[in-house]
Amino acid sequence: MQKFIQARALIYRKFGDPREVLELETINVSAEPGREECLFEWLASPINPLDINRIQGNYALKSELPVIGGSEGIGRVVKTGSGSRFKVGDHVTIFSAETPFWTEYSIVNDDELVHLDERIPLDLAATLMINPPTAWIMLQKYVKLEKGDYVIQNSANSGVGRSVIEMCKVFGYQSINIVRSRPNIEQLKTELWRIGADHVFTEEEFKETSKKFLKSIKTRPKLALNGVGGKSALQISAVLERSGTCVTYGGMSKKAHEFTTSALVFNDIQVRGVAVGMWARREENLDEWNHCIDQVQKLAVAGKLTAIPMEKIRMSEHKKAIKKSLEGRSIKQLFIINSSTSTSSNSHL
């Protein structure tokens, strides 16, 4: 007779307002993994913007309902099949659009699992498969940058933005970082400088001082990274050097991306877009993707890549966490799924 484990999971059975359609339920998970499978417990998983979009039904790829939420996280192997390449206690994650992250237990085939270095802290390991790889791909694959070259970005305080800052520091690039104005702006600027930002401006400050600033640096940016859209996209793409490239990875403003005729026609800039999930799943990028994940993990172990500020919260408090995520004024919410995992801000597994 097949044995099962009861697991709590955050499930939505229809698309809509996450505060209304997301519910904490109990499901049965097989206790016996197949030959090349692992049974593992999820330890932590963040609420990402794409999670909200998926639950609302606004994401480009729609999953078949009902769906267990989540888009990335960290798990720990508790039982292996006889032919598994993993061992009990290994830390793992998955890079898949269909993975049920917001649940206590899962059984997954070895081929889908990625081994995570056990030295990587909980909060960073739980958020390692989307934002840091997006930053790495944009910095490595679109423009050949040399040490000392400038990169400009908006949404510099986002998960991708902070990864860009830290990677620019590692690679020897100069980062110009644009953020929205807010009451605690000086505190935010200090945070970004501490992780390696070279220059930080609010959108208003850059609009007023960009001409003077650009004259003070040796060359204009070769690469612009756009996660906002609207006039913010116009602002960073308009200052690129001739034939520079603007890579768009998001649209947090929910406005159309704007580019000037002057930049496109007379400055011959290139406009590109990237979705890390689609990029990684192209067969021709498989080796590069594996290399990317290996490099990201090495940076994390070395302390050169750090976790963004997050508030750790239990799945039972999901309505509060979702509310904060929708309001956009709080730091990222991180579900602590396994009850034995510490909620300390310095938690290492």
Side-chain angles (χ1 to χ4, degrees), residues 19 36 121 127 130 133 151 188 232 244 255 299 347:
R19 292 166 294 191
E36 295 182 348
T127 55
I130 296 178
V151 175
L188 175 59
S232 183
K255 295 180 180 179
L299 290 176
S347 175

Side-chain angles (χ1 to χ4, degrees), residues 5 54 60 69 74 93 104 122-123 155 158-159 171 185 227 249 259 280 291:
I5 297 173
R54 280 178 174 169
I74 176 173
T93 190
E104 291 176 314
L122 166 69
D123 45 5
S155 194
S158 66
F171 300 149
I185 187 61
Y249 63 91
F259 304 95
H291 175 66

Side-chain angles (χ1 to χ4, degrees), residues 77-106:
V77 175
V78 296
K79 193 170 186 178
T80 63
S82 59
S84 175
R85 62 189 172 94
F86 294 93
K87 65 181 186 298
V88 173
D90 279 350
H91 295 173
V92 293
T93 190
I94 307 171
F95 189 72
S96 169
E98 302 299 327
T99 297
F101 286 94
W102 295 349
T103 179
E104 291 176 314
Y105 292 95
S106 290

Side-chain angles (χ1 to χ4, degrees), residues 17-295:
D17 187 329
R19 292 166 294 191
E20 299 175 1
V21 301
L22 194 66
E23 297 292 344
L24 188 61
E25 301 183 15
T26 299
I27 62 173
N28 288 326
V29 178
S30 174
E32 299 296 334
R35 186 176 181 277
E36 295 182 348
E37 292 180 334
C38 288
L39 169 67
F40 61 93
E41 56 182 355
W42 284 112
L43 301 174
S45 176
I47 301 177
N48 287 324
L50 73 87
D51 298 319
I52 300 295
N53 291 337
R54 280 178 174 169
I55 298 169
Q56 292 170 331
N58 296 331
Y59 194 63
L61 302 175
K62 283 191 177 182
S63 301
E64 186 175 342
L65 297 169
V67 179
I68 296 174
S71 54
E72 62 177 335
I74 176 173
R76 179 166 51 205
V77 175
V78 296
K79 193 170 186 178
T80 63
S82 59
S84 175
R85 62 189 172 94
F86 294 93
K87 65 181 186 298
V88 173
D90 279 350
H91 295 173
V92 293
T93 190
I94 307 171
F95 189 72
S96 169
E98 302 299 327
T99 297
F101 286 94
W102 295 349
T103 179
E104 291 176 314
Y105 292 95
S106 290
I107 280 191
V108 178
N109 190 282
D110 275 20
D111 290 343
E112 297 181 49
L113 292 172
V114 177
H115 183 265
L116 290 176
D117 195 300
E118 282 76 11
R119 293 170 291 180
I120 301 174
L122 166 69
D123 45 5
L124 180 55
T127 55
L128 204 66
M129 296 299 286
I130 296 178
N131 292 337
T134 298
W136 191 92
I137 290 166
M138 292 193 298
L139 290 172
Q140 294 289 311
K141 304 309 298 179
Y142 291 92
V143 174
K144 184 173 178 55
L145 296 170
E146 306 290 343
K147 287 188 176 181
D149 282 344
Y150 285 87
V151 175
I152 187 169
Q153 65 166 341
N154 55 29
S155 194
N157 61 310
S158 66
V160 172
R162 289 173 185 252
S163 292
V164 166
I165 289 170
E166 293 185 313
M167 289 184 189
C168 280
K169 184 177 180 181
V170 171
F171 300 149
Y173 311 149
Q174 300 283 311
S175 64
I176 306 168
N177 303 281
I178 314 297
V179 296
R180 288 180 302 161
S181 185
R182 62 200 69 204
N184 63 337
I185 187 61
E186 293 305 321
Q187 178 184 337
L188 175 59
K189 286 184 176 182
T190 299
E191 284 182 22
L192 300 184
W193 284 324
R194 282 176 177 167
I195 65 172
D198 293 291
H199 307 279
V200 185
F201 301 90
T202 65
E203 293 174 338
E204 294 78 12
E205 288 170 344
F206 195 72
K207 181 179 180 180
E208 293 173 2
T209 65
S210 61
K211 289 184 179 180
K212 181 178 180 181
F213 171 72
L214 292 169
K215 288 180 180 178
S216 72
I217 59 179
K218 293 181 180 179
T219 59
R220 289 191 171 218
K222 292 182 178 179
L223 179 64
L225 307 178
N226 170 38
V228 178
K231 293 189 180 302
S232 183
L234 184 151
Q235 187 176 49
I236 61 172
S237 61
V239 301
L240 286 168
E241 73 168 22
R242 182 169 179 77
S243 300
T245 298
C246 180
V247 181
T248 292
Y249 63 91
M252 292 300 292
S253 70
K254 297 184 179 180
K255 295 180 180 179
H257 302 274
E258 297 185 26
F259 304 95
T260 66
T261 300
S262 175
L264 288 169
V265 176
F266 300 109
N267 208 31
D268 192 28
I269 69 165
Q270 298 184 60
V271 177
R272 303 291 300 274
V274 62
V276 64
M278 294 179 181
W279 188 94
R281 292 182 183 88
R282 295 191 191 112
E283 188 174 348
E284 66 271 21
N285 292 336
L286 182 58
D287 288 343
E288 194 67 30
W289 170 248
N290 290 332
H291 175 66
C292 167
I293 296 304
D294 179 65
Q295 293 302 303

